[in-house]
Amino acid sequence: MQAFTDIYCTCQTSDDRSRHVIETHVKDILTNTLQPVFQRQAQIHPTLSKRPEPKYRAAHESELHENQQWKAENYTDILYWIVKDISNKDLEENLHLILPPVLIVLDDYDIKYKEQGVKMVHYIIKKLDSQYIARMGLDNLFLESLFSCLFRLSENREEPLVKVAYPCILDLIASVKNEQRRSELYERALKDGVVSGYLYAGQKILFLPVLLQPIAILYTALGSIGTQYLKAIVPMLCDSMSMISSNNKAIQEINKLAAESLIVVIKKCWPRIPEYKGLIMKSLAKTWAYYFEIKDTVMCDTLKQLYKIFEAACQGQEIMDKEALLAYNASVYKPLFS
């Protein structure tokens, strides 16, 4: 941004010029530099223009993505810089000037701009007080656009977008004050995001960590509500945990994420866990044998913790499986159960 700030501001200042510009001239930049280049899209964007639902959506979206002056030069970089570095106070004061261009970037068809839009929304959410977010209705403004990012699972280049979308969505949902609505949104993120995403892209190693990462947070928030999704989530976690590949760091990270997530799922939904005892024990045994052999003490400690919680949930129903493993290879499995 130095080139822009040097040209934009000729003030004599001993302070950092970039900081000086964003503290002193931000409203002027938003009004006179950015607003004009986003004006055309702001006038026809369905949310910003508050027009009725268009009869021919495809034609309307085509119009929205034509003559995008804001993609010229470095306008999105300037907007991103402002959103990232602006103070909380100045963000609140200039939010009416910041939200329209951010929403336009977020709703663009180009993955590169959508990702930049998600990141800007996340900065806004983290800087604003949750009461202010609720009062301004930012969840209603952004959530549909953010949820649409979770379905971009076709190409590898879409992975960074999905990766930044989940934490942004979860932080925005956390700011929702109404408990029932907040719970419904968490459930939607689990059902329409993680579960549907795994059915579509679960075989893609690149996307799998992105889909696993939110599970612990979602089950911590949902509690027993998550029980109805165990039929999808437990096999997903068990398959991911026992996906063994020698010296593949990406797969080892997947194993770790799955094991840690399964611990949370069992804690929150323990009454129903015995229904899945065979699947969990089989996955745990396979994963343990591999990490015990390569002497990965950190992962082994995680698997021991997982077994203890699993054992407590099963209340003795797992004993036959445990005894069968000890009979098969006591030297390998006794440390898991000790």
Side-chain angles (χ1 to χ4, degrees):
M1 281 295 104
Q2 186 172 347
F4 169 74
T5 55
D6 286 348
I7 294 171
Y8 189 86
C9 175
T10 57
C11 301
Q12 298 298 318
T13 175
S14 58
D15 296 335
D16 175 83
R17 184 168 295 279
S18 178
R19 183 180 298 277
H20 165 77
V21 170
I22 206 163
E23 288 179 350
T24 310
H25 302 291
V26 67
K27 187 168 185 177
D28 182 65
I29 296 170
L30 288 166
T31 303
N32 297 319
T33 301
L34 294 179
Q35 195 174 49
V37 299
F38 283 96
Q39 188 172 12
R40 181 181 182 279
Q41 275 68 38
Q43 290 173 345
I44 59 178
H45 189 285
T47 301
L48 298 172
S49 65
K50 298 181 180 179
R51 290 180 176 181
E53 185 75 13
K55 184 177 181 181
Y56 301 105
R57 177 177 291 276
H60 180 78
E61 289 182 354
S62 176
E63 182 187 7
L64 185 64
H65 298 142
E66 290 175 353
N67 302 319
Q68 294 174 300
Q69 187 182 351
W70 57 270
K71 286 185 178 179
E73 300 184 27
N74 61 339
Y75 293 118
T76 55
D77 292 335
I78 295 169
L79 178 63
Y80 186 87
W81 164 65
I82 289 174
V83 173
K84 180 176 178 291
D85 289 354
I86 194 170
S87 69
N88 297 11
K89 178 176 178 294
D90 286 343
L91 175 61
E92 286 191 18
E93 291 179 0
N94 293 281
L95 196 62
H96 65 291
L97 297 171
I98 290 173
L99 289 181
V102 168
L103 188 59
I104 288 166
V105 175
L106 176 63
D107 284 341
D108 193 60
Y109 64 89
D110 191 312
I111 292 295
K112 178 181 73 173
Y113 291 109
K114 288 187 81 69
E115 182 185 346
Q116 203 170 25
V118 172
K119 289 178 179 178
M120 288 190 285
V121 172
H122 206 175
Y123 278 124
I124 291 169
I125 294 165
K126 288 191 287 188
K127 289 185 179 191
L128 296 177
D129 178 80
S130 60
Q131 296 280 0
Y132 187 85
I133 292 173
R135 187 166 72 251
M136 295 297 291
L138 296 189
D139 55 328
N140 294 324
L141 180 65
F142 287 124
L143 273 172
E144 290 306 316
S145 296
L146 290 170
F147 269 115
S148 71
C149 297
L150 303 186
F151 308 132
R152 305 299 289 262
L153 301 165
S154 299
E155 303 176 32
N156 287 352
R157 68 188 184 91
E158 295 174 321
E159 184 266 348
L161 171 64
V162 186
K163 187 175 183 178
V164 297
Y166 270 110
C168 182
I169 288 171
L170 295 178
D171 282 350
L172 184 53
I173 293 173
S175 73
V176 173
K177 294 303 178 184
N178 183 282
E179 185 177 349
Q180 182 178 347
R181 173 164 164 74
R182 188 169 64 247
S183 179
E184 289 171 352
L185 289 170
Y186 278 130
E187 189 175 354
R188 180 182 174 188
L190 180 64
K191 180 179 67 173
D192 297 343
V194 174
V195 174
S196 296
Y198 183 73
L199 290 174
Y200 185 78
Q203 76 284 2
K204 299 180 180 180
I205 300 300
L206 184 64
F207 284 98
L208 197 46
V210 178
L211 297 170
L212 292 171
Q213 196 77 52
I215 291 176
I217 297 172
L218 289 169
Y219 267 84
T220 298
L222 287 170
S224 60
I225 294 173
T227 299
Q228 60 189 304
Y229 301 103
L230 289 179
K231 192 173 181 180
I233 291 295
V234 172
M236 172 184 176
L237 293 177
C238 287
D239 289 347
S240 300
M241 183 173 71
S242 58
M243 181 192 299
I244 303 303
S245 179
S246 298
N247 299 320
N248 188 318
K249 296 298 182 183
I251 290 181
Q252 289 177 359
E253 180 62 24
I254 287 169
N255 299 156
K256 179 175 177 287
L257 272 172
E260 292 171 345
S261 299
L262 191 52
I263 288 170
V264 175
V265 170
I266 292 173
K267 283 181 178 179
K268 296 299 178 180
C269 304
W270 63 267
R272 293 283 298 279
I273 294 304
E275 297 177 28
Y276 303 93
K277 67 181 188 299
L279 180 61
I280 295 173
M281 186 64 99
K282 180 181 177 181
S283 174
L284 186 52
K286 180 181 177 181
T287 311
W288 172 266
Y290 173 74
Y291 283 99
F292 183 74
E293 182 181 352
I294 66 171
K295 297 180 173 59
D296 186 328
T297 55
V298 174
M299 186 62 173
C300 284
D301 286 345
T302 300
L303 295 173
K304 283 182 179 181
Q305 182 187 359
L306 171 57
Y307 178 75
K308 288 184 182 301
I309 293 166
F310 169 68
E311 182 183 43
C314 287
Q315 300 180 353
Q317 297 182 57
E318 83 298 339
I319 289 176
M320 288 182 64
D321 290 329
K322 174 182 176 181
E323 290 177 346
L325 287 172
L326 289 171
Y328 173 68
N329 195 334
S331 63
V332 171
Y333 291 108
K334 189 174 181 180
L336 171 61
F337 304 135
S338 61

